[in-house]
Amino acid sequence: MKPFDYVRPATVQAAVAAAAEPGAVYLAAGTNLLDLMKGGVSRPNRLVDVSHLPDLDRIEELADGGVRIGALVRNADLARDLSFARRFPAVAEALLSGASAQLRNAATVGGNLLQRTRCAYFYDTASACNKRDPGAGCDARFGDNRQHAVLGWSESCIATHPSDFCVPLVALDAVVEIEGEAGRREIPLENFHRLPGDTPQRESMLEPGEMIVALRLPAAAAQFAAHARYLKIRDRTSYAFAVVSAAAALRIAGGAIAEARLALGGVALKPWRAREAEAILNGARADAALFDRAAQSALAAAKPSGGNGFKIELARRIVKRALTLAAAGTPERMPALPASPFAAVSGEVIHA
Amino acid sequence: MSVPTTLTVNGVKRTIEIDDPRVTLLDLLREHLHLTGTKKGCDRGQCGACTVIVDGRRINSCLALAISHDGAEVLTIEGVAQSGAQGGRLHPVQEAFIAHDGLQCGFCTPGQIMSAIAVIQEGEAGDDPERVREAMSGNLCRCGAYQGITEAVLEAQKALGAASVRKVA
């Protein structure tokens, strides 16, 4: 690991000032950053330790019915907050399906948004990677790429965004609060992560030195609480990143879907909101044929970036299953295996 | 530059001069405090061998910078058994791991036991083996002693439950 200078500012303003220097990065729990630094993938000159900053570890109910989650709230604490989990069950399920209990106890909300792709070529400094070394090329493009993107990718980069948490957040219109030298601003999470284009090294809308201070969910996001699921296919039962995942949230009134939200994970370099599929679902009666059409629509623009064509059909199936399970109702208790698609739904054949 | 960092490790307050901010909590425990019970497996947060309990929460000590944990309370495998004039007594989780063969080579065991103690404290798994397995999924065992580990966690939980009932009575 390259040596670095360590600073621990006492306020957000001091942190932003300390991070303005080129080569400076923020340190929260460090569960991703330290891994990247040990591998020589990240080589910062300075760590600005924000993990001790006051007031950023709160979950606040807002007057308008929304909720504001401080950037330093730990993943496990958010998932275990009963009031939060009751109102936003798909978010809690996504959190609990990610990483391991040890990592969830440390990893923060802000860090989850800023975690880097797990593309093996990005991690391997002997491989060409446009994200790590702009202009170097992309060894994943014709490499071992079964896990890579099927939506929104470019010839420069076919990596995926690894977060589970961000998938239901994008579906539920989460907003990111950002502090920088120019002051406070906010941006919808859906627009926060960038698709690769020709500049895969630019991963988010953050300007150098800017810091995430909080995440907000609007009051309307809680209206889906009775019919909200996050489902995730993994290469092993637990403690693995998504091959593909989907968050489905339905507001059902009078036997029809009044409003639907749908987003996919593991398919692109950002959590992927499927707005056209939502439009198909809105106002319709929930049934298998409808969910099929929504799933077809959600993946209509998908194309393989290598040996990963199977992910397109797998993503359609996980979308259909997430919608089916959401329509069946949010479970009373968090499933033993959160986000597992293999639990039976009463009256449903799993592998039709 | 040397920065004094104070940690309470297994109940004992320790001040360590950290002369390089790259030192992880794992390396601090093993190399500076010579508490080598906590194991370095992958050193990248994938195996759980380095699991310790910091301020009441289990974490991977390999992915924690020691300098960032100034003031923390750390519990390691060395601190879980009761000491006593007659040699003391193992922690009920340690006893259960022995009784159920929850190990073979033993390398992952300190991390498994720290994680198991935390699982029982978290109190979310209940007596459902599937929930126990999910809660323990951050601890890999390459010998494959998972069945014994799950049984040990369930039995230790029962024993600890009985002990806390006795204490109250």
Side-chain angles (χ1 to χ4, degrees):
Chain A
M1 195 190 299
K2 196 181 92 166
F4 54 83
D5 166 34
Y6 172 88
V7 293
R8 192 191 299 159
T11 64
V12 170
Q13 286 69 29
V16 167
E21 211 175 275
V25 299
Y26 290 111
L27 169 75
T31 52
N32 186 207
L33 180 61
L34 254 70
D35 186 22
L36 291 162
M37 288 167 66
K38 286 181 182 192
V41 181
S42 289
R43 301 172 54 80
N45 296 320
R46 165 183 277 190
L47 290 198
V48 179
D49 185 351
V50 294
S51 66
H52 296 261
L53 290 179
D55 306 329
L56 296 184
D57 60 352
R58 294 192 197 145
I59 304 166
E60 299 166 75
E61 305 284 335
L62 301 175
D64 67 0
V67 62
R68 183 172 184 272
I69 309 152
L72 291 177
V73 172
R74 310 285 171 169
N75 284 200
D77 290 341
L78 185 59
R80 284 193 188 133
D81 184 283
L82 291 181
S83 156
F84 179 85
R86 213 172 16 247
R87 297 175 68 206
F88 311 104
V91 180
E93 184 164 24
L95 281 167
L96 292 174
S97 75
S100 66
Q102 289 94 314
L103 289 166
R104 294 192 293 270
N105 273 344
T108 64
V109 159
N112 188 300
L113 268 55
L114 292 175
Q115 66 181 305
R116 315 290 297 277
T117 182
R118 264 52 175 202
C119 171
Y121 298 93
F122 170 70
Y123 265 72
D124 172 23
T125 55
S127 294
C129 174
N130 287 318
K131 187 183 274 297
R132 183 164 30 73
D133 183 10
C138 171
D139 277 350
R141 183 70 181 89
F142 298 101
D144 179 3
N145 48 24
R146 69 179 282 278
Q147 295 270 24
H148 285 71
V150 293
L151 283 163
W153 55 273
S154 72
E155 290 299 327
S156 294
C157 179
I158 62 169
T160 58
H161 192 261
S163 173
D164 295 303
F165 181 45
C166 287
V167 179
L169 286 178
V170 159
L172 296 173
D173 288 338
V175 173
V176 187
E177 292 183 20
I178 297 163
E179 185 91 18
E181 285 196 297
R184 181 80 54 115
R185 66 183 182 112
E186 56 184 56
I187 180 165
L189 180 62
E190 188 182 359
N191 303 335
F192 180 79
H193 298 100
R194 293 169 178 267
L195 288 175
D198 296 327
T199 53
Q201 71 277 17
R202 293 213 61 191
E203 297 178 350
S204 77
M205 299 302 281
L206 286 183
E207 296 297 333
E210 280 190 321
M211 176 183 164
I212 296 174
V213 291
L215 190 69
R216 281 203 322 271
L217 277 168
Q223 294 178 359
F224 299 92
H227 296 278
R229 291 301 302 270
Y230 177 72
L231 291 192
K232 171 181 178 186
I233 291 269
R234 290 159 264 198
D235 277 341
R236 60 183 182 190
T237 306
S238 180
Y239 196 13
F241 290 99
V243 179
V244 294
S245 70
L250 304 172
R251 187 159 59 76
I252 294 179
I257 298 169
E259 190 181 0
R261 299 290 179 84
L262 184 66
L264 286 87
V267 292
L269 198 50
K270 60 188 287 181
W272 193 267
R273 178 90 178 253
R275 287 186 182 273
E276 286 173 17
E278 290 176 4
I280 290 170
L281 295 161
N282 288 342
R285 299 232 156 232
D287 63 34
L290 177 71
F291 293 160
D292 255 340
R293 280 203 291 137
Q296 293 296 334
S297 163
L299 277 301
K303 61 177 197 258
S305 57
N308 57 359
F310 75 97
K311 283 180 70 164
I312 299 171
E313 178 56 21
L314 198 58
R316 285 190 197 109
R317 292 183 188 194
I318 205 78
V319 163
K320 189 180 172 191
R321 186 136 186 88
L323 288 166
T324 304
L325 289 181
T330 305
E332 279 289 304
R333 186 181 178 200
M334 185 62 67
L337 294 173
S340 171
F342 300 113
V345 196
S346 57
E348 281 284 330
V349 180
I350 296 179
H351 302 289
Chain B
M1 185 188 69
S2 172
V3 180
T5 297
T6 303
L7 293 171
T8 303
V9 181
N10 301 329
V12 180
K13 201 166 183 178
R14 312 283 292 258
T15 299
I16 306 105
E17 294 287 329
I18 295 186
D19 56 2
D20 185 335
R22 291 178 292 180
V23 175
T24 61
L25 180 58
L26 172 62
D27 286 341
L28 183 96
L29 292 169
R30 290 181 56 85
E31 310 296 336
H32 294 248
L33 301 179
H34 308 295
L35 293 169
T36 53
T38 306
K39 298 299 185 233
K40 184 185 276 195
C42 69
D43 202 29
R44 304 292 281 269
Q46 296 177 5
C47 76
C50 68
T51 302
V52 298
I53 298 179
V54 175
D55 295 330
R57 310 155 67 91
R58 52 179 163 147
I59 64 165
N60 299 114
S61 60
C62 71
L63 290 184
L65 279 188
I67 199 168
S68 181
H69 284 79
D70 191 17
E73 274 195 38
V74 183
L75 181 67
T76 73
I77 190 68
E78 288 89 348
V80 302
Q82 286 174 7
S83 54
Q86 278 79 46
R89 192 188 157 185
L90 292 178
H91 188 281
V93 172
Q94 292 173 305
E95 288 179 342
F97 266 68
I98 294 168
H100 289 272
D101 279 337
L103 62 144
Q104 184 176 304
C105 83
F107 189 86
C108 72
T109 311
Q112 299 279 1
I113 286 173
M114 298 316 292
S115 217
I117 289 172
V119 169
I120 294 167
Q121 281 170 355
E122 288 157 13
E124 288 164 356
D127 56 5
D128 179 350
E130 186 154 46
R131 285 181 191 270
V132 169
R133 280 193 292 271
E134 167 64 13
M136 292 292 292
S137 70
N139 292 82
L140 305 191
C141 169
R142 290 292 79 141
C143 301
Y146 294 113
Q147 190 175 331
I149 291 169
T150 304
E151 288 167 8
V153 176
L154 289 167
E155 182 182 293
Q157 182 165 253
K158 255 190 261 167
L160 283 161
S164 62
V165 170
R166 270 203 302 278
K167 247 181 236 164
V168 171

